Amino acid sequence: MRKYFVLFMILGACWWGCDENEIAIYQETPRLNFYYSGGVVFVDTDYVKQHTEKELIVVIALQGEPLEEGRTFCVTAQPADSVTEMTDVVLADSYVFPAGKYRDSIRVTVRRPSRPTLTTPQTRASLAFDPSNPAHEFEPGKIEDQSYTIDASFYLPQPMSWNNSFWGLYSTAKYMFMMDCLGNSFQDSWNNWERVNEVRLAYEEYCADPAHEELLDDEGNPIVFPKN
């Protein structure tokens, strides 16, 4: 019986200690954590409409009791790793976490990657709180939630109705020139020789200009438009 009593005392002490630690967390100063964000993908319709920037919503969570008045916090963008190209992110100098909320969101601007790709993601950045900024009024929260990775891609896969008989092998450079020439993203009605000849002649004029160089496909070879 005595050993059971000792065991209950130990378990009770552990439970009480855990409970005290949990309470202590909420008694500390309010802290912020990244809660959720997504990624950004630029597609062919964005290219036609000359959309080079998109807004991304980043959700921030408060650790602790709601604030009685708003506090300022700062966010910075850093490379996510040493291999992947860094996403170009535009951030405000500072943000304000409002009073009375456990979660809020900020809007950041993500710029389109410089080159199109056939895969996603293409570029990556790590958003992080910036306690070194004098305007930042929060102490660090959970270590694992002090940064958040966001991705951006300029994604131009081959259109579903692409016809090699008319357009030859697909490449992102070829498709971008076609959209520049025809003023739209790919349409089924483009699969005819009238359209092909229109684009081919426009490309011949493009290459005849000394200011322009041949466009290269995704394998590094000059693009070619078929002749009927």
Side-chain angles (χ1 to χ4, degrees), residues 43-112:
V43 295
D44 52 3
T45 52
D46 293 311
Y47 180 76
V48 170
K49 296 175 182 177
Q50 299 183 357
H51 292 165
T52 58
E53 296 181 346
K54 287 190 177 184
E55 278 195 343
L56 180 66
I57 294 176
V58 180
V59 181
I60 309 294
L62 180 72
Q63 179 181 329
E65 295 299 324
L67 304 174
E68 294 184 0
E69 58 182 25
R71 286 192 187 183
T72 301
F73 66 96
C74 303
V75 177
T76 184
Q78 306 167 345
D81 54 58
S82 60
V83 177
T84 311
E85 179 183 345
M86 181 176 167
T87 300
D88 192 355
V89 183
V90 181
L91 299 161
D93 292 335
S94 63
Y95 302 90
V96 175
F97 197 95
K101 286 190 173 184
Y102 283 105
R103 291 178 192 163
D104 195 41
S105 62
I106 61 174
R107 294 177 180 270
V108 303
T109 299
V110 178
R111 290 177 175 151
R112 190 182 72 192

Side-chain angles (χ1 to χ4, degrees), residues 119-130:
T119 60
T120 58
Q122 182 180 4
T123 65
R124 180 166 286 168
S126 178
L127 299 184
F129 295 113
D130 187 9

Side-chain angles (χ1 to χ4, degrees), residues 134-181:
H136 190 80
E137 297 183 311
F138 291 86
E139 294 182 35
K142 300 176 184 176
I143 295 176
E144 65 272 21
D145 294 328
Q146 291 305 285
S147 63
Y148 201 99
T149 300
I150 60 173
D151 298 323
S153 294
F154 180 15
Y155 184 45
L156 291 182
Q158 179 175 311
M160 292 291 292
S161 55
W162 181 274
N163 190 317
N164 282 6
S165 299
F166 290 107
W167 298 107
L169 294 177
Y170 175 81
S171 69
T172 55
K174 178 184 284 188
Y175 185 30
M176 290 171 69
F177 185 85
M178 292 164 60
M179 289 189 285
D180 290 338
C181 180

